[in-house]
Amino acid sequence: VVKIDVQGYEELAFRGMRGLLAGARPMTVLSEFWPHGMANAGGDPAAYLGLFRAAGFARGGMNEHRGGE
């Protein structure tokens, strides 16, 4: 199990773990998905989801939280 929660820098963290992702499967990746924070950090939320799909992962069990943005 891998947990990624780095306040908008998830795309960079995911890109940096390519070696780990190439390893043994099955693997579970839990990640925060905060489009506003990703954009503020210079990332692209759609590209992040694309990286997930390209690595063979699927979205699931996501909860949407609308807090004080």
Side-chain angles (χ1 to χ4, degrees):
V1 175
V2 176
K3 180 183 179 217
I4 306 170
D5 184 355
V6 289
Q7 298 308 108
Y9 293 92
E10 286 76 12
E11 181 183 351
L12 291 175
F14 194 80
R15 288 182 186 279
M17 55 186 264
R18 285 188 179 139
L20 177 66
L21 295 172
R25 298 285 178 120
M27 180 184 302
T28 299
V29 177
L30 304 172
S31 176
E32 176 181 49
F33 181 70
W34 179 33
H36 179 75
M38 289 178 181
N40 284 343
D44 179 347
Y48 182 55
L49 292 178
L51 288 172
F52 253 76
R53 289 185 192 107
F57 294 101
R59 294 183 341 172
M62 298 181 112
N63 293 323
E64 186 172 327
H65 171 72
R66 295 187 181 261
E69 280 190 21

